[in-house]
Amino acid sequence: MMTVNEVSKLTGVSIRTLQYYDTIGLLKPDGYTASGYRLYDDTALERLQQILLFKELEFPLKEIKRIIDAPDFDRDKALSQQIELLTMKKEHLEGLIAFARKIKTTGVNKMDFNVFNTAKMDEYAREAKKQWGQTAEYKEYEEKTKNQSSETQKTAWKNLMLIFVEFGKIKNKEPGSKEVQLLVKNLQDYISEHFYQCSNEILNGLGKMYASGAEFTENIDKAAGAGTAAFVAEAIEIYTAR
């Protein structure tokens, strides 16, 4: 656990900014010292890294919060897209630097504004944003949770993980068995009640994401045992095909 002062020194983010992130619900501390100072764990620091990467791409704080709070936010996929956007930004800046140097050394021979064109980068960003919490399902989730405390939201996620723990206990059974399929139905109903309406199509997509090998797989297998994410995905595929 790190104090707000230690996090500020480590990251270069001012204490006042960290306090503001807490106020708007963008980055909540994991706890407080006896004196009332904020404390941050590794999970909070990972979230701060995501916030700072999106800030480098000039995303508004409100939009950053919406993206990383989305129930289907995939950190690994977001990182790949951020790397692509940052690379585009780097190439754009290098082009501007070269253009400025050319003007300085040789003067302006013709009016060329192509170097200022960011259309390709802007289009990629727009496409990426469509995958970052812009769905109707996320809007429903946002509406359901807007008046909930952070503790209530944490409990909802914790109970969701407990369903995966139940899957882990029966992953030696056939994924198409009645017991396993009933648990898939419980998972679908829980998502619909606490997050967003989970149709068979959406559930099928979630199943693929659970077994994608990214953060979701890691978290599920960590909580419920190795191989659970893949087992859930197979059970979901059978359930949605019926």
Side-chain angles (χ1 to χ4, degrees):
M1 298 285 279
M2 299 180 68
T3 65
V4 66
N5 188 48
E6 289 170 335
V7 172
S8 178
K9 288 180 179 179
L10 175 68
T11 63
V13 179
S14 71
I15 293 175
R16 180 170 292 183
T17 297
L18 290 169
Q19 291 170 340
Y20 179 65
Y21 288 174
D22 182 7
T23 301
I24 64 174
L26 181 60
L27 182 69
K28 289 288 186 182
D30 189 63
Y32 297 87
T33 67
S35 304
Y37 292 104
R38 293 169 175 82
L39 291 171
Y40 297 85
D41 60 4
D42 289 344
T43 301
L45 292 178
E46 287 178 9
R47 183 178 172 96
L48 180 57
Q49 286 178 337
Q50 279 292 338
I51 292 167
L52 296 179
L53 280 170
F54 279 118
K55 278 198 67 182
E56 283 294 326
L57 295 168
E58 300 176 11
F59 279 58
L61 294 181
K62 184 177 181 181
E63 194 164 349
I64 294 172
K65 183 178 185 302
R66 184 170 67 241
I67 291 168
I68 61 181
D69 280 346
D72 56 354
F73 177 64
D74 186 330
R75 183 187 63 180
D76 290 343
K77 185 175 182 179
L79 280 170
S80 296
Q81 292 170 323
Q82 288 165 339
I83 289 167
E84 182 66 25
L85 279 168
L86 288 168
T87 301
M88 288 180 174
K89 187 175 181 181
K90 172 177 172 284
E91 291 171 353
H92 176 66
L93 290 173
E94 286 175 344
L96 287 174
I97 292 169
F99 181 69
R101 283 175 175 164
K102 184 178 179 182
I103 292 175
K104 184 177 181 181
T105 56
T106 64
V108 180
N109 296 321
K110 63 176 182 177
M111 292 296 179
D112 183 5
F113 291 90
N114 287 330
V115 71
F116 299 102
N117 191 333
T118 62
K120 182 180 177 182
M121 184 165 56
D122 294 341
E123 176 60 25
Y124 186 91
R126 279 194 295 271
E127 289 303 310
K129 286 179 184 180
K130 289 179 182 178
Q131 304 171 43
W132 290 338
Q134 301 298 312
T135 63
E137 290 75 33
Y138 176 69
K139 289 176 181 176
E140 182 183 349
Y141 167 76
E142 190 176 44
E143 184 65 26
K144 279 185 176 181
T145 59
K146 67 180 180 181
N147 295 319
Q148 290 180 357
S149 67
S150 59
E151 193 60 39
T152 299
Q153 292 178 37
K154 281 183 180 179
T155 299
W157 281 103
K158 180 181 178 181
N159 289 337
L160 176 64
M161 292 309 296
L162 289 177
I163 296 176
F164 291 115
V165 171
E166 291 303 311
F167 274 110
K169 292 177 181 177
I170 58 174
K171 66 176 184 282
N172 62 322
K173 296 182 180 293
E174 288 296 321
S177 68
K178 184 177 180 180
E179 183 179 2
V180 175
Q181 290 295 294
L182 181 59
L183 194 53
V184 173
K185 179 66 166 60
N186 290 344
L187 173 65
Q188 184 180 37
D189 290 344
Y190 186 85
I191 293 171
S192 293
E193 181 180 354
H194 295 277
F195 299 102
Y196 46 77
Q197 190 61 39
C198 186
S199 65
N200 280 5
E201 182 182 359
I202 290 172
L203 184 64
N204 186 265
L206 288 173
K208 288 181 171 60
M209 189 163 57
Y210 295 155
S212 65
E215 186 177 10
F216 280 97
T217 306
E218 181 183 336
N219 289 340
I220 292 170
D221 285 358
K222 183 178 179 181
T228 301
F231 175 74
V232 174
E234 189 176 354
I236 287 175
E237 187 173 359
I238 294 169
Y239 177 88
T240 55
R242 289 177 173 172

